[in-house]
């Protein structure tokens, strides 16, 4: 996927257009905001978009799923498998940005130093216990690579709001010395 930038013609400050065929997200900005962008972005620089999903249930339903076990292809086992695959993509991206070896397998790939705490958290995941360190370390490593995160839950209410508040307060503490 890639991100293109353009200007809005509908009077809004911000609008989005997507093209599944071209695998492109176009961010349209008002001319005032667009003018504040660096010249390199105004000239049509392509911004790579690398979507990666790390999962960890945190509510009581996850606790029950962990206790009861799960069928093949669902529940905790599925989360563990998805996290390992996502880590491989994430680590390879870090390697491409900063050099080092790239591999198809998390267990044999050289782990980039920015990704090492996330690799440890993923290696420690268990089908019987929640490991929220995965979410914390994924966010930390994403920010370290200049990326952004999205947090969501099934209902999109309480857990999402709590997670967003946690990440915002950590960013304030880490980057601005507050808290």
């Amino acid at each position: 996927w890639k991100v293109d930038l353009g200007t809005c013609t509908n009077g809004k400050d911000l609008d989005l257009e997507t093209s599944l065929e071209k695998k492109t997200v176009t961010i349209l900005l008002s001319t005032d905001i667009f003018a504040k962008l660096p010249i390199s972005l105004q000239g049509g620089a392509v911004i790579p978009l690398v979507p990666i999903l790390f999962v960890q249930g945190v509510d009581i339903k996850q606790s029950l799923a962990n206790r009861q076990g799960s069928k093949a292809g669902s529940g905790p086992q599925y989360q563990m498998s998805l996290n390992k695959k996502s880590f491989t993509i994430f680590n390879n991206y870090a390697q491409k940005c900063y050099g080092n070896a790239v591999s198809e397998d998390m267990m044999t790939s050289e782990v980039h130093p920015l990704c090492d705490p996330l690799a440890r958290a993923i290696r420690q995941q268990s089908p019987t216990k929640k490991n929220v360190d995965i979410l914390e370390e994924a966010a930390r490593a994403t920010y370290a690579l200049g990326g952004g995160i999205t947090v969501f839950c099934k209902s999109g209410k309480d857990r999402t709001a709590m997670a967003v508040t946690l990440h915002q307060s950590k960013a304030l503490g880490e980057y601005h010395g507050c808290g």
Side-chain angles (χ1 to χ4, degrees):
W1 281 82
K2 67 177 185 171
V3 177
D4 286 332
L5 298 170
T7 55
C8 283
T9 57
N10 60 8
K12 294 181 182 179
D13 283 341
L14 173 69
D15 206 356
L16 295 173
E17 294 177 353
T18 59
S19 170
L20 293 176
E21 299 82 33
K22 296 179 182 178
K23 292 188 176 182
T24 302
V25 175
T26 303
I27 301 173
L28 302 170
L29 303 169
S30 68
T31 52
D32 292 343
I33 295 173
F34 190 82
K36 294 177 183 177
L37 292 173
I39 299 298
S40 61
L41 292 179
Q42 290 180 28
V46 174
I47 303 167
L49 183 64
V50 182
I52 301 171
L53 178 66
F54 290 99
V55 294
Q56 176 58 67
V58 295
D59 66 351
I60 190 68
K61 290 180 181 178
Q62 184 67 47
S63 297
L64 291 172
N66 289 351
R67 281 193 172 175
Q68 294 174 347
S70 62
K71 301 173 189 163
S74 67
Q77 294 292 343
Y78 179 72
Q79 288 184 102
M80 291 172 61
S81 174
L82 180 61
N83 287 337
K84 286 180 182 178
K85 289 177 184 175
S86 295
F87 178 82
T88 298
I89 296 167
F90 192 90
N91 188 54
N92 285 344
Y93 181 77
Q95 304 287 11
K96 287 177 187 173
C97 290
Y98 295 102
N100 292 334
V102 176
S103 173
E104 295 298 318
D105 180 16
M106 172 190 177
M107 305 317 282
T108 61
S109 176
E110 180 181 330
V111 175
H112 190 278
L114 286 174
C115 302
D116 192 50
L118 176 58
R120 280 195 305 273
I122 290 173
R123 286 185 182 115
Q124 292 171 356
Q125 65 186 341
S126 160
T128 60
K129 294 182 181 174
K130 293 183 234 178
N131 185 356
V132 295
D133 288 346
I134 293 168
L135 301 177
E136 295 290 320
E137 293 302 335
R140 183 203 52 76
T142 299
Y143 292 141
L145 286 171
I149 66 166
T150 300
V151 177
F152 59 92
C153 66
K154 188 174 179 180
S155 67
K157 294 187 254 177
D158 297 337
R159 290 180 300 275
T160 300
M162 290 187 294
V164 169
T165 301
L166 173 66
H167 288 293
Q168 288 176 341
S169 63
K170 282 187 168 207
L172 282 172
E174 188 172 333
Y175 299 110
H176 303 287
C178 305

